[in-house]
Short mmCIF file of all heavy atoms in Angstrom, two decimals:
data_model
loop_
_atom_site.label_atom_id
_atom_site.label_comp_id
_atom_site.label_asym_id
_atom_site.label_seq_id
_atom_site.Cartn_x
_atom_site.Cartn_y
_atom_site.Cartn_z
N PRO D 25 -25.86 45.82 68.60
CA PRO D 25 -27.01 45.07 69.32
C PRO D 25 -27.46 43.88 68.51
O PRO D 25 -27.34 43.87 67.27
CB PRO D 25 -28.09 46.12 69.39
CG PRO D 25 -27.62 47.41 68.74
CD PRO D 25 -26.25 47.13 68.18
N PRO D 26 -28.01 42.94 69.18
CA PRO D 26 -28.47 41.70 68.48
C PRO D 26 -29.62 42.07 67.56
O PRO D 26 -30.35 43.00 67.87
CB PRO D 26 -28.83 40.76 69.60
CG PRO D 26 -29.14 41.65 70.75
CD PRO D 26 -28.27 42.81 70.61
N PRO D 27 -29.84 41.30 66.49
CA PRO D 27 -31.01 41.53 65.67
C PRO D 27 -32.31 41.33 66.44
O PRO D 27 -32.38 40.51 67.40
CB PRO D 27 -30.89 40.56 64.54
CG PRO D 27 -29.96 39.47 65.02
CD PRO D 27 -29.09 40.12 66.10
N PRO D 28 -33.37 42.07 66.09
CA PRO D 28 -34.60 41.90 66.83
C PRO D 28 -35.17 40.47 66.65
O PRO D 28 -35.09 39.87 65.57
CB PRO D 28 -35.55 42.92 66.23
CG PRO D 28 -34.86 43.42 64.95
CD PRO D 28 -33.44 43.00 65.01
N ALA D 29 -35.81 40.02 67.74
CA ALA D 29 -36.43 38.71 67.73
C ALA D 29 -37.81 38.79 66.98
O ALA D 29 -38.38 39.87 66.97
CB ALA D 29 -36.63 38.14 69.14
N ALA D 30 -38.19 37.73 66.38
CA ALA D 30 -39.52 37.69 65.70
C ALA D 30 -40.60 37.75 66.76
O ALA D 30 -40.63 36.95 67.68
CB ALA D 30 -39.65 36.36 64.94
N PRO D 31 -41.46 38.73 66.67
CA PRO D 31 -42.58 38.90 67.66
C PRO D 31 -43.51 37.72 67.62
O PRO D 31 -44.03 37.30 66.57
CB PRO D 31 -43.29 40.17 67.26
CG PRO D 31 -42.37 40.90 66.31
CD PRO D 31 -41.53 39.85 65.70
N ALA D 32 -43.75 37.09 68.80
CA ALA D 32 -44.58 35.91 68.87
C ALA D 32 -46.06 36.23 69.06
O ALA D 32 -46.88 35.31 69.06
CB ALA D 32 -44.10 35.04 70.02
N SER D 33 -46.42 37.49 69.27
CA SER D 33 -47.79 37.91 69.43
C SER D 33 -47.95 39.39 68.98
O SER D 33 -46.96 40.12 68.89
CB SER D 33 -48.22 37.79 70.90
OG SER D 33 -47.51 38.77 71.67
N PRO D 34 -49.22 39.80 68.77
CA PRO D 34 -49.39 41.20 68.44
C PRO D 34 -48.87 42.14 69.56
O PRO D 34 -48.27 43.19 69.25
CB PRO D 34 -50.87 41.35 68.29
CG PRO D 34 -51.36 40.02 67.79
CD PRO D 34 -50.48 39.04 68.61
N GLU D 35 -49.07 41.73 70.79
CA GLU D 35 -48.54 42.51 71.92
C GLU D 35 -47.02 42.64 71.86
O GLU D 35 -46.44 43.74 72.03
CB GLU D 35 -48.90 41.90 73.25
CG GLU D 35 -50.40 41.98 73.59
CD GLU D 35 -51.22 40.84 72.91
OE1 GLU D 35 -50.66 39.96 72.27
OE2 GLU D 35 -52.45 40.87 73.06
N ALA D 36 -46.32 41.57 71.58
CA ALA D 36 -44.84 41.60 71.46
C ALA D 36 -44.45 42.45 70.29
O ALA D 36 -43.45 43.22 70.36
CB ALA D 36 -44.26 40.16 71.29
N ALA D 37 -45.20 42.44 69.18
CA ALA D 37 -44.86 43.29 68.05
C ALA D 37 -45.02 44.75 68.38
O ALA D 37 -44.19 45.56 68.00
CB ALA D 37 -45.82 42.92 66.88
N LEU D 38 -46.06 45.08 69.18
CA LEU D 38 -46.23 46.50 69.54
C LEU D 38 -45.25 46.98 70.58
O LEU D 38 -44.82 48.10 70.60
CB LEU D 38 -47.67 46.73 69.91
CG LEU D 38 -48.67 46.48 68.81
CD1 LEU D 38 -50.13 46.54 69.30
CD2 LEU D 38 -48.43 47.42 67.66
N GLU D 39 -44.75 46.03 71.47
CA GLU D 39 -43.71 46.37 72.36
C GLU D 39 -42.41 46.64 71.59
O GLU D 39 -41.67 47.55 71.90
CB GLU D 39 -43.45 45.23 73.34
CG GLU D 39 -44.49 45.13 74.40
CD GLU D 39 -44.33 43.86 75.27
OE1 GLU D 39 -43.23 43.33 75.33
OE2 GLU D 39 -45.37 43.46 75.89
N ALA D 40 -42.15 45.87 70.55
CA ALA D 40 -40.99 46.10 69.66
C ALA D 40 -41.11 47.47 68.95
O ALA D 40 -40.13 48.14 68.78
CB ALA D 40 -40.83 44.97 68.64
N TYR D 41 -42.31 47.81 68.51
CA TYR D 41 -42.60 49.09 67.88
C TYR D 41 -42.20 50.22 68.78
O TYR D 41 -41.39 51.13 68.36
CB TYR D 41 -44.09 49.11 67.55
CG TYR D 41 -44.74 50.40 67.11
CD1 TYR D 41 -44.04 51.35 66.35
CD2 TYR D 41 -46.05 50.62 67.42
CE1 TYR D 41 -44.69 52.47 65.91
CE2 TYR D 41 -46.69 51.76 67.01
CZ TYR D 41 -46.02 52.73 66.22
OH TYR D 41 -46.64 53.85 65.86
N VAL D 42 -42.67 50.23 70.04
CA VAL D 42 -42.29 51.27 70.95
C VAL D 42 -40.82 51.25 71.29
O VAL D 42 -40.18 52.30 71.39
CB VAL D 42 -43.15 51.20 72.21
CG1 VAL D 42 -42.71 52.23 73.26
CG2 VAL D 42 -44.67 51.46 71.85
N GLY D 43 -40.24 50.02 71.43
CA GLY D 43 -38.80 49.94 71.67
C GLY D 43 -38.03 50.55 70.53
O GLY D 43 -36.99 51.24 70.79
N GLY D 44 -38.42 50.33 69.30
CA GLY D 44 -37.73 50.93 68.15
C GLY D 44 -37.83 52.45 68.16
O GLY D 44 -36.86 53.14 67.78
N LEU D 45 -38.98 52.96 68.56
CA LEU D 45 -39.20 54.43 68.62
C LEU D 45 -38.33 55.04 69.77
O LEU D 45 -37.80 56.10 69.65
CB LEU D 45 -40.68 54.76 68.81
CG LEU D 45 -41.60 54.43 67.72
CD1 LEU D 45 -43.03 54.70 68.10
CD2 LEU D 45 -41.21 55.18 66.46
N ARG D 46 -38.22 54.27 70.90
CA ARG D 46 -37.41 54.77 72.01
C ARG D 46 -35.90 54.85 71.64
O ARG D 46 -35.22 55.81 71.94
CB ARG D 46 -37.57 53.83 73.21
CG ARG D 46 -38.88 53.96 73.96
CD ARG D 46 -38.82 53.06 75.19
NE ARG D 46 -40.12 53.00 75.79
CZ ARG D 46 -40.71 51.87 76.07
NH1 ARG D 46 -40.09 50.69 75.95
NH2 ARG D 46 -41.91 51.86 76.65
N SER D 47 -35.46 53.78 71.00
CA SER D 47 -34.04 53.67 70.71
C SER D 47 -33.59 54.25 69.42
O SER D 47 -32.39 54.55 69.21
CB SER D 47 -33.63 52.18 70.67
OG SER D 47 -34.24 51.54 69.53
N GLY D 48 -34.52 54.49 68.49
CA GLY D 48 -34.18 55.03 67.19
C GLY D 48 -33.52 53.98 66.29
O GLY D 48 -32.84 54.32 65.30
N ARG D 49 -33.72 52.68 66.59
CA ARG D 49 -33.12 51.61 65.77
C ARG D 49 -34.05 51.32 64.64
O ARG D 49 -35.02 50.57 64.83
CB ARG D 49 -32.85 50.41 66.66
CG ARG D 49 -31.72 50.58 67.65
CD ARG D 49 -31.39 49.39 68.41
NE ARG D 49 -31.11 48.24 67.63
CZ ARG D 49 -31.20 46.96 67.96
NH1 ARG D 49 -31.63 46.69 69.19
NH2 ARG D 49 -30.93 45.92 67.15
N VAL D 50 -33.76 51.84 63.46
CA VAL D 50 -34.57 51.58 62.31
C VAL D 50 -34.68 50.12 61.97
O VAL D 50 -35.73 49.65 61.48
CB VAL D 50 -34.05 52.40 61.07
CG1 VAL D 50 -32.78 51.86 60.48
CG2 VAL D 50 -35.14 52.51 60.04
N GLU D 51 -33.69 49.30 62.23
CA GLU D 51 -33.78 47.86 61.88
C GLU D 51 -34.81 47.14 62.74
O GLU D 51 -35.44 46.21 62.25
CB GLU D 51 -32.39 47.18 62.01
CG GLU D 51 -31.91 47.02 63.46
CD GLU D 51 -31.13 48.25 64.02
OE1 GLU D 51 -31.12 49.28 63.40
OE2 GLU D 51 -30.53 48.09 65.06
N VAL D 52 -35.11 47.68 63.94
CA VAL D 52 -36.23 47.13 64.72
C VAL D 52 -37.57 47.41 64.02
O VAL D 52 -38.43 46.55 63.89
CB VAL D 52 -36.18 47.67 66.15
CG1 VAL D 52 -37.42 47.30 66.92
CG2 VAL D 52 -34.95 47.22 66.88
N LEU D 53 -37.66 48.65 63.59
CA LEU D 53 -38.96 49.03 62.90
C LEU D 53 -39.09 48.31 61.59
O LEU D 53 -40.18 47.86 61.21
CB LEU D 53 -38.99 50.54 62.69
CG LEU D 53 -39.01 51.34 63.99
CD1 LEU D 53 -38.87 52.84 63.68
CD2 LEU D 53 -40.20 51.05 64.84
N GLU D 54 -37.99 48.15 60.83
CA GLU D 54 -38.01 47.48 59.50
C GLU D 54 -38.37 45.96 59.67
O GLU D 54 -38.99 45.42 58.80
CB GLU D 54 -36.70 47.62 58.81
CG GLU D 54 -36.45 49.03 58.34
CD GLU D 54 -35.02 49.24 57.79
OE1 GLU D 54 -34.12 48.43 58.09
OE2 GLU D 54 -34.83 50.21 57.08
N ALA D 55 -37.95 45.37 60.81
CA ALA D 55 -38.36 43.98 61.04
C ALA D 55 -39.80 43.86 61.40
O ALA D 55 -40.39 42.74 61.21
CB ALA D 55 -37.47 43.40 62.17
N LEU D 56 -40.45 44.89 61.83
CA LEU D 56 -41.85 44.84 62.27
C LEU D 56 -42.81 45.28 61.23
O LEU D 56 -43.89 44.67 61.04
CB LEU D 56 -41.99 45.73 63.53
CG LEU D 56 -43.40 45.88 64.05
CD1 LEU D 56 -43.95 44.53 64.48
CD2 LEU D 56 -43.46 46.85 65.19
N PHE D 57 -42.48 46.32 60.46
CA PHE D 57 -43.42 46.91 59.50
C PHE D 57 -43.08 46.37 58.08
O PHE D 57 -41.94 46.47 57.61
CB PHE D 57 -43.32 48.40 59.52
CG PHE D 57 -43.87 49.07 60.71
CD1 PHE D 57 -43.15 49.19 61.86
CD2 PHE D 57 -45.22 49.45 60.77
CE1 PHE D 57 -43.67 49.81 63.02
CE2 PHE D 57 -45.77 50.02 61.88
CZ PHE D 57 -45.00 50.19 63.03
#
Side-chain angles (χ1 to χ4, degrees):
S33 68
E35 291 83 2
L38 296 173
E39 287 173 20
Y41 169 34
V42 173
L45 295 174
R46 284 184 190 132
S47 67
R49 289 183 57 201
V50 72
E51 69 275 11
V52 171
L53 298 174
E54 289 171 342
L56 175 63
F57 288 87

